Amino acid sequence: MGKVTFLNPEFFWLFLLIPIAIAWFFWKKNEQSATLKMSSIEGFKGSDSFLAKAKPLLNVFRILALSSLIIAIARPRTVDVSNKTKTTKGIDIVMAIDISGSMLSKDLKPNRMEALKNVASGFVEERPNDRIGLVVYTSEAYTKTPVTSDKAVVLEAIKSIKYDNVLQDGTGIGMGLSTAVNRLKDSKAKSKVIILMTDGVNNAGFIEPETAADIAKQYGIKVYTIGVGTNGMAESPYALSPGGQILFQMMKVEIDEQLLKNIAKKTDGKYFRASSNSKLAEIYASINKLETTEIKELRFYDYDEKFRPFVWFAGFLILLEIGLRNTVYRSFI
C-alpha cells in the first residue's frame, strides 16, 4: 500500500462518524428486537443459541460496510509516472587534475589525490545529462578520457588515477589547462567548463598558464580553479628510499593562489581553496549548483483506480446484513 495515493483524502474525516455509529448501536440494541414480559424466565435458562450470540455481527457488517464506502469515496489509486526527455541543453566539462608527487601529501585524508578522486566521482554521478572528460598533468599533460556521456568510463578513469613515473614530476598548470581547452574548443554545447585542480605553483611545461587562460577565454570556456591543500605545513613526499618507498616530512604548503584567481577571473570562472576534505566536497557542490543543465521533460501519469473492490465489499456486506435480517433473524427474539 506504500504506493497508493488518495484523490480525496479529506473524506477520511468521515471516520469520526464510526464511534458515533457504534455508540448508537449499543444505545439502541434493546429496541432492535421484540420484547416479551414474563413473571419468570426460569424455564428459558441455557437456551441461548449460536444465532442469538451472532446477531450483533449484523451491526459489525454495517460498520465495515460504512468504512469501506469511506475509503472508496477517498479514491485510492496507484500512479505510474514515466518521463521522456524532450530536449537537453547539457554542459561539456573537462576536469584537469594535477597528479604530481605533492598530491600524495596527507593534509587531506588519506591524501590529496584520493580525497580528490572520491569527490570528483560523486560530482560525475550527479551530472547525468552532461558530457565529461578527464585530463591529468604534471610537467606534461595528456587526455585520460575524452569528453563523453559514458559516465562509467569517466568513473573508471578517475578510479585509476595514481602517481607514477610515467610523466616527469613537476607542476605544469599551463600544460594541463591548454590540453583541457583543446578537448573543448570544438564543442557545440551551450556551456563549456574546465575544473582545474592543483596543489602547487607552475614550475614546468612550455605553455604559460596566462596564455592558456587567454585561449580558453577566446573559445568561451569558463575555468573554475581549485587550490588543493591546507594552510601552513603538511606531511608531504620529499624523496624515495633505497627500497623505492616514498618518504614524507613536514613541509610548507605553497599554492600560487594569485595565478589561479587570475585564470578564473579572466574566464568568468571562480577560484576555490580546498583546505580539507569537507571543504573540497563543498567546492564541488558549489560548482554543481553554479553550472546547471537545462532539461525539458515530458511526464506521463497512468492512474489505476483502486476504489472498486471497496465498493463491492461494502455492497456485499450490506446485502448480507439485509438478507440475514429478512431471513434468519426475521422473527428471531
Side-chain angles (χ1 to χ4, degrees), residues 93-109:
I93 302 171
V94 171
M95 292 187 289
I97 300 178
D98 183 350
I99 59 169
S100 59
S102 57
M103 285 292 288
L104 299 177
S105 298
K106 299 180 180 180
D107 46 351
L108 274 69
K109 303 301 179 184

Side-chain angles (χ1 to χ4, degrees), residues 15-159:
F15 273 111
L16 295 176
L17 297 175
I18 300 298
I20 298 176
I22 294 173
W24 173 264
F25 291 144
F26 273 104
W27 184 42
K28 291 290 186 178
K29 68 177 182 178
N30 292 330
E31 299 179 13
Q32 293 177 2
S33 301
T35 58
L36 178 65
K37 294 183 178 179
M38 303 182 109
S39 59
S40 174
I41 58 172
E42 188 68 26
F44 294 94
K45 285 184 178 180
S47 64
D48 285 349
S49 66
F50 171 77
L51 289 177
K53 295 178 179 179
K55 189 175 182 181
L57 287 177
L58 298 179
N59 293 330
V60 174
F61 291 160
R62 193 175 297 183
I63 293 297
L64 290 176
L66 178 60
S67 300
S68 292
L69 287 175
I70 292 173
I71 295 174
I73 62 177
R75 291 286 295 278
R77 60 184 184 174
T78 59
V79 57
D80 180 25
V81 183
S82 58
N83 299 325
K84 181 179 179 182
T85 301
K86 189 176 180 182
T87 59
T88 301
K89 293 183 179 179
I91 300 172
D92 280 358
I93 302 171
V94 171
M95 292 187 289
I97 300 178
D98 183 350
I99 59 169
S100 59
S102 57
M103 285 292 288
L104 299 177
S105 298
K106 299 180 180 180
D107 46 351
L108 274 69
K109 303 301 179 184
N111 58 51
R112 295 173 183 173
M113 188 174 293
E114 291 302 317
L116 183 57
K117 287 165 60 177
N118 290 336
V119 176
S121 295
F123 177 80
V124 170
E125 290 173 345
E126 293 179 5
R127 311 292 299 195
N129 300 297
D130 301 321
R131 300 196 310 161
I132 298 177
L134 184 63
V135 167
V136 295
Y137 69 94
T138 55
S139 61
E140 306 169 73
Y142 70 91
T143 301
K144 193 169 182 66
T145 303
V147 177
T148 177
S149 58
D150 191 338
K151 300 303 184 296
V153 171
V154 180
L155 290 171
E156 185 59 34
I158 293 174
K159 183 179 178 181

